[in-house]
Amino acid sequence: MSDSTVPQESNPPAPSAWGVALESVRCPHCDWRYFAPPDKADIRCPHCFQADLTPLGEAAAQLPYRLPPEQWLPFAVDAATLNLSVETFAGGIPYAPRDLNGDALRARVQPLYLPLWLVDGNVTAEWSAEVGFNYQVVSHRERYADGGGWRTEEIHKDQVRWESRVGRLERHYDNVVAPALEDHPALERALGTYPLTNVRPYAANALSDALVRLPDRAPSAAWPDATPNFQAAAAEECRQAAQSDHIQKFRWSPKYTQTNWTLLLLPVYASYYLDDESAPQPVLINGLTGKITGARRASMQRAQRAALITAIVAVVLFALGLLLGILGIAAPPLLVFGILLAIVAFGGGAVGALLPIVRASRFNRKQEVEGR
Amino acid sequence: MTEFPPAGFVPTPSAIPGIEVYMPAPVEATAQPEVAEFKCPQCQATTAYSVSDGGLRCSHCGYYEPPPKSIVGKGAEEFEFTVATMEVAAARGWGEARKEIACQNCSARTTLPAGELTHTCPFCGSNRVVQQDAPQDNLRPRFLIPFQITDAVCTQYVRAWLGSSWMTPKSLRDLASMARFSAIYVPFWTLDALTEADWKAEVGHQKTESYRDSKGNRHTRTVTVWRWESGHAQRVFDDLLVSGTTRLSNVLLKRLKDYRTAQLTPYDPKYLAGLMAQAYDVPLQAAWAAGREEMRAQTRETCRGQASTSQIRNFSMSLNFQDESWRYILAPLYVSTYKYEDATYQVMVNGQTGTVAGQRPVDWPKVWLAIAAMVAPGVLLGLLGLLLLVGVPPAGPIVLIVALVALVAGGAFAVGTYGKAKEMGDV
């Protein structure tokens, strides 16, 4: 671990410091890098599922950080919640790909941990802010009606009195978070935030057979994202120090010393389904809340097939109608049936053949818009 | 930050070790003695506030001390109706207790009546201002409007006022013997609020329609068509004045409420030296209730004014008060009496604007004569119309209609005149 006034890059030791045997691997397709148990070092990448993981070899020494984490969040989503998430994800899709079903998703679930930086540090600063104190004022609401006179209702309204405060601060802050992955904001948007109430100190048996994604942001790159969190923590403490109910316009001039960087591991389940082109479509599930994310797409192939079947049936019926029409020359009552059948087959066939394609296209377009 | 803590900030307790907290230094409440005495620093004689000079003046050696603070006007701090303030104000007002004060000049002890803020020792004439403890600081008078006209000017105004009405005796202006004017600061509450109201009513619209009677003749008649209307009204009340005293005629004080709060000045006992001043005896809640009544009545009139005609029924409205605030101020007033034909009449003058209000004797024979003159045309024309009905039948009805109109108009004027005359004697 590094102790310094300015955040420093670590000098990574071997992954054996994690207390379990781990191998440094990477996906040649998506370039996600992992520590994986030796028996899972050559599995498919649990992110893109496009290629098998390959050992990093000597390149592992160039990783920005390989120290064991300080804390981890154990998987907490129960089987029922997981099932519900998966079934909800797979359900409600018109002409869903055949592979997009609960059983397939569950069978491919791979536990995975995502890293998050934890920064400890001493801070000295001068600060200024506006602090707010709650109070109540007496007000009135009145009603008038001819013949009934005035009816007065006394009400209490909540108000906030803002006062300025300045001060000095010399505090130590533990476990201020900062993203350790470039795509952390996108992942957080997709998976939701992780409540950090149940974090536990890291133990060697924590990982079990899960993979751990390695940070792709060095502490120095993550530092600009850590400072707002230091500021938020300091603002909250200054609010408490001033014994106020609110704080706003918090400004400070911090000096950081003794910063110490560690990791927190966030649990996530990875799975996938195969789309029309048999390409894996990744699905991620928050290991705490069960929130699921991934591309939900209708199968255009299935929609086209349904359209084709409908069209064939319609053509057959239309032809039958024509045939009845011809027979109607000899037996006039058949002429009426023939015409009716041809009209129904033509109208129903046109609509019925278009409907699957329209439904699938609209669903996919809607998913694309929501996914943006 | 260069200098720490910044100027004007003082330490305040912090709930977290390692964090220092500084707050703006509270405005120094100038340590005021409970009883402020005013003595000339040159000759030790008693000084008093001089209205003409606008500052403290020693009548013995001429020493002058200018007014202590500048005008803050409508920027004078206003207070919200906080739950805490209302609870304190309800528990006990300010100036309730009677005070016994000892004159430091001659050692005479005097009991000060409840609510009196100033005192002049009856034995040695020294002036004092009593600054009693208020249960909450904002329940002290924090602002006042200084006297701006002298008692000599007051006398001129009152003389002019006495002769300004034809209803008073002709000799009133010349024969009234005026007593000396007493300058007194009276307590007022200034109230601010924004009222927002939604109203609904049935509004009557006149419509002329034609109809046929049972014989088939065509006639026209006017009918009222009622339609529902609704609307939203908003009114801003700024410095609505409500009297804080019950010891002066409320009728007269209401006529003198044209005080201009743009002249508000921070309270300083020097303004009160040698003058009389009263503390409030109408508590904040009662003043606020009176103020609200006036505000809602005015808002109601605004709502009714939005209706498309003045014929309204089933009127209802809901009204919300917002941004309510108040101040406790002292306003200048001259009080005096004058005698006329052995009767004593009360008169007050607004010490800022010179507006006069008071009782005036009414020359009732003159008023009755005037009322008779107003009603006479209608009566006489009526009699003439009746005679014409007998003698010249076609002209009779026309004269009678004119007589009726004249009688109604004359009667209205007569009632107004009578009311005005009655009001002259009210206090």
Side-chain angles (χ1 to χ4, degrees), chain B residues 206-387:
Chain B
Q206 302 295 330
K207 187 180 141 191
T208 305
E209 63 178 22
S210 59
Y211 69 100
R212 289 182 190 279
D213 62 16
S214 53
K215 292 174 186 165
N217 298 323
R218 198 177 179 80
H219 300 280
T220 59
R221 65 183 172 197
T222 304
V223 292
T224 303
V225 179
W226 294 95
R227 284 189 217 127
W228 281 102
E229 289 184 12
S230 61
H232 179 83
Q234 197 181 60
R235 280 204 61 157
V236 176
F237 293 91
D238 181 32
D239 290 343
L240 181 82
L241 285 167
V242 175
S243 168
T245 183
T246 54
R247 279 174 282 166
L248 292 169
S249 161
N250 207 28
V251 174
L252 297 186
L253 279 179
K254 265 188 183 165
R255 292 183 209 160
L256 295 173
K257 282 203 302 190
D258 58 343
Y259 287 106
R260 292 191 291 266
T261 49
Q263 296 291 318
L264 277 174
T265 304
Y267 168 85
D268 192 288
K270 291 188 179 79
Y271 286 109
L272 276 58
L275 307 175
M276 288 192 285
Q278 288 183 348
Y280 70 81
D281 59 6
V282 175
L284 179 57
Q285 294 93 325
W288 179 219
R292 279 203 324 272
E293 199 174 319
E294 194 170 331
M295 289 176 186
R296 68 192 189 187
Q298 288 188 31
T299 309
R300 181 172 170 268
E301 284 318 301
T302 303
C303 290
R304 291 179 73 95
Q306 288 181 344
S308 52
T309 75
S310 58
Q311 214 174 351
I312 295 170
R313 71 181 187 190
N314 290 326
F315 177 86
S316 66
M317 66 184 275
S318 62
L319 188 157
N320 281 335
F321 285 89
Q322 289 174 27
D323 302 334
E324 303 103 311
S325 62
W326 60 274
R327 283 194 216 103
Y328 170 32
I329 66 164
L330 296 177
L333 184 73
Y334 284 104
V335 180
S336 184
T337 56
Y338 63 91
K339 275 195 164 183
Y340 179 75
E341 291 180 348
D342 295 333
T344 303
Y345 300 91
Q346 199 177 357
V347 64
M348 295 179 187
V349 180
N350 183 317
Q352 182 190 32
T353 63
T355 306
V356 183
Q359 292 172 297
R360 281 183 283 190
V362 178
D363 189 345
W364 281 110
K366 207 197 285 182
V367 171
W368 285 123
L369 207 61
I371 289 173
M374 290 170 198
V375 182
V379 174
L380 292 175
L381 279 172
L383 289 173
L384 182 64
L386 289 173
L387 287 174

Side-chain angles (χ1 to χ4, degrees), chain A residues 3-347:
Chain A
D3 281 355
S4 62
T5 52
V6 180
Q8 288 181 344
E9 313 299 313
S10 63
N11 184 18
S16 58
W18 288 55
V20 285
L22 294 169
E23 282 196 38
S24 309
V25 291
R26 72 178 276 273
C27 169
H29 185 263
C30 69
D31 202 34
W32 277 34
R33 295 159 191 228
Y34 306 90
F35 276 156
D39 62 326
K40 295 205 168 184
D42 56 354
I43 62 167
R44 274 199 162 189
C45 170
H47 170 238
C48 65
F49 295 97
Q50 298 277 1
D52 291 342
L53 299 173
T54 56
L56 269 172
E58 290 190 0
Q62 306 303 315
L63 288 171
Y65 198 90
R66 296 195 301 161
L67 290 170
E70 182 185 353
Q71 294 178 329
W72 70 301
L73 268 169
F75 283 91
V77 58
D78 57 55
T81 310
L82 191 65
N83 279 343
L84 183 65
S85 293
V86 165
E87 295 299 341
T88 308
F89 181 84
I93 302 174
Y95 310 102
R98 290 202 187 284
D99 196 46
L100 178 47
N101 58 70
D103 292 339
L105 288 172
R106 269 190 297 274
R108 295 165 184 155
V109 155
Q110 166 65 48
L112 172 71
Y113 284 102
L114 302 177
L116 185 68
W117 288 121
L118 294 178
V119 198
D120 306 338
N122 292 338
V123 186
T124 56
E126 288 176 6
W127 61 273
S128 68
E130 283 182 7
V131 294
F133 298 91
N134 291 340
Y135 67 99
Q136 285 195 314
V137 293
V138 179
S139 186
H140 294 84
R141 235 186 334 238
E142 316 235 359
R143 290 195 168 278
Y144 174 86
D146 278 346
W150 288 98
R151 275 189 299 134
T152 303
E153 181 192 356
E154 185 178 297
I155 52 171
H156 287 186
K157 289 181 183 169
D158 294 322
Q159 306 273 35
V160 178
R161 186 182 68 255
W162 292 99
E163 296 178 7
S164 67
R165 293 284 186 276
V166 298
R168 269 192 293 240
L169 169 154
E170 193 172 340
R171 297 281 295 165
H172 176 80
Y173 293 99
D174 272 332
N175 300 334
V176 174
V177 298
L181 300 170
E182 291 295 348
D183 52 357
H184 184 92
L187 286 168
E188 192 172 76
R189 272 198 304 277
L191 292 169
T193 51
Y194 282 82
L196 302 180
T197 47
N198 197 27
V199 289
R200 294 186 193 167
Y202 173 75
N205 61 355
L207 297 182
S208 184
D209 62 343
L211 278 74
V212 178
R213 188 174 169 199
L214 291 171
D216 58 11
R217 294 181 93 205
S220 57
W223 179 245
D225 291 321
T227 49
N229 294 335
F230 270 103
Q231 181 169 338
E236 172 56 18
E237 283 201 340
C238 290
R239 181 195 70 72
Q240 291 172 24
Q243 297 165 66
S244 65
D245 302 301
H246 312 273
I247 191 162
Q248 66 178 16
K249 297 179 185 171
F250 182 84
R251 290 185 183 87
W252 69 337
S253 49
K255 288 188 180 68
Y256 299 93
T257 54
Q258 306 289 308
T259 51
N260 181 31
W261 291 74
T262 56
L263 284 179
L264 165 70
L265 299 182
L266 308 174
V268 65
Y269 287 112
S271 185
Y272 69 97
Y273 67 89
L274 299 172
D275 63 12
D276 283 349
E277 284 77 36
S278 296
Q281 293 293 327
V283 174
L284 294 175
I285 304 163
N286 186 315
L288 280 191
T289 62
K291 186 177 178 190
I292 191 165
T293 183
R296 294 174 81 222
R297 291 282 180 273
S299 165
M300 290 310 292
Q301 276 182 6
R302 288 192 65 196
Q304 284 164 7
R305 198 172 302 130
L308 189 66
I309 292 167
T310 310
I312 290 169
V313 170
V315 168
V316 169
L317 289 175
F318 186 75
L320 191 63
L322 291 182
L323 190 65
L324 287 174
I326 293 164
L327 292 174
I329 297 168
L334 287 178
L335 183 65
V336 178
F337 286 115
I339 292 169
L340 277 176
L341 188 61
I343 291 171
V344 170
F346 183 78

Side-chain angles (χ1 to χ4, degrees), chain B residues 19-330:
Chain B
I19 298 182
E20 294 172 18
V21 185
Y22 295 81
M23 63 183 285
V27 179
E28 276 294 316
T30 318
Q32 301 273 15
E34 193 181 0
V35 178
E37 296 227 21
F38 296 93
K39 283 191 174 175
C40 175
Q42 290 178 10
C43 67
Q44 299 301 307
T46 299
T47 56
Y49 184 79
S50 163
V51 175
S52 54
D53 296 334
L56 278 182
R57 174 72 76 182
C58 173
S59 55
H60 189 252
C61 70
Y63 168 79
Y64 174 71
E65 201 177 313
K69 283 167 188 166
S70 56
I71 291 168
V72 290
K74 285 187 178 290
E77 186 183 4
E78 290 167 338
F79 300 94
E80 291 175 292
F81 290 89
T82 63
V83 172
T85 299
M86 298 307 275
E87 281 170 357
V88 170
R92 56 193 181 120
W94 181 55
E96 292 297 314
R98 294 173 79 85
K99 284 264 170 185
E100 186 178 69
I101 57 173
C103 177
Q104 289 172 1
N105 202 34
C106 66
S107 300
R109 297 187 77 81
T110 313
T111 300
L112 196 68
E116 297 289 322
L117 295 179
T118 56
H119 179 69
T120 299
C121 177
F123 302 99
C124 69
S126 60
N127 290 328
R128 277 161 294 171
V129 172
V130 181
Q131 307 189 87
Q132 299 167 357
D133 291 336
Q136 190 157 321
D137 190 48
N138 53 19
L139 288 169
R140 288 171 174 273
R142 297 277 293 265
F143 303 97
L144 56 79
I145 300 170
F147 275 93
Q148 282 168 24
I149 58 170
T150 61
D151 54 356
V153 174
C154 261
T155 308
Q156 291 171 21
Y157 284 160
V158 172
R159 288 265 176 225
W161 171 76
L162 287 174
S164 65
S165 173
W166 63 268
M167 295 185 202
T168 57
K170 207 174 178 185
S171 57
L172 177 64
R173 181 176 170 166
D174 303 319
L175 298 183
S177 89
M178 302 279 301
R180 201 169 179 279
F181 276 97
S182 299
I184 179 169
Y185 276 106
V186 288
F188 273 97
W189 301 98
T190 75
L191 304 171
D192 286 9
L194 168 76
T195 57
E196 283 205 78
D198 291 303
W199 64 270
K200 202 172 88 171
E202 277 188 287
V203 180
H205 296 264
Q206 302 295 330
K207 187 180 141 191
T208 305
E209 63 178 22
S210 59
Y211 69 100
R212 289 182 190 279
D213 62 16
S214 53
K215 292 174 186 165
N217 298 323
R218 198 177 179 80
H219 300 280
T220 59
R221 65 183 172 197
T222 304
V223 292
T224 303
V225 179
W226 294 95
R227 284 189 217 127
W228 281 102
E229 289 184 12
S230 61
H232 179 83
Q234 197 181 60
R235 280 204 61 157
V236 176
F237 293 91
D238 181 32
D239 290 343
L240 181 82
L241 285 167
V242 175
S243 168
T245 183
T246 54
R247 279 174 282 166
L248 292 169
S249 161
N250 207 28
V251 174
L252 297 186
L253 279 179
K254 265 188 183 165
R255 292 183 209 160
L256 295 173
K257 282 203 302 190
D258 58 343
Y259 287 106
R260 292 191 291 266
T261 49
Q263 296 291 318
L264 277 174
T265 304
Y267 168 85
D268 192 288
K270 291 188 179 79
Y271 286 109
L272 276 58
L275 307 175
M276 288 192 285
Q278 288 183 348
Y280 70 81
D281 59 6
V282 175
L284 179 57
Q285 294 93 325
W288 179 219
R292 279 203 324 272
E293 199 174 319
E294 194 170 331
M295 289 176 186
R296 68 192 189 187
Q298 288 188 31
T299 309
R300 181 172 170 268
E301 284 318 301
T302 303
C303 290
R304 291 179 73 95
Q306 288 181 344
S308 52
T309 75
S310 58
Q311 214 174 351
I312 295 170
R313 71 181 187 190
N314 290 326
F315 177 86
S316 66
M317 66 184 275
S318 62
L319 188 157
N320 281 335
F321 285 89
Q322 289 174 27
D323 302 334
E324 303 103 311
S325 62
W326 60 274
R327 283 194 216 103
Y328 170 32
I329 66 164
L330 296 177

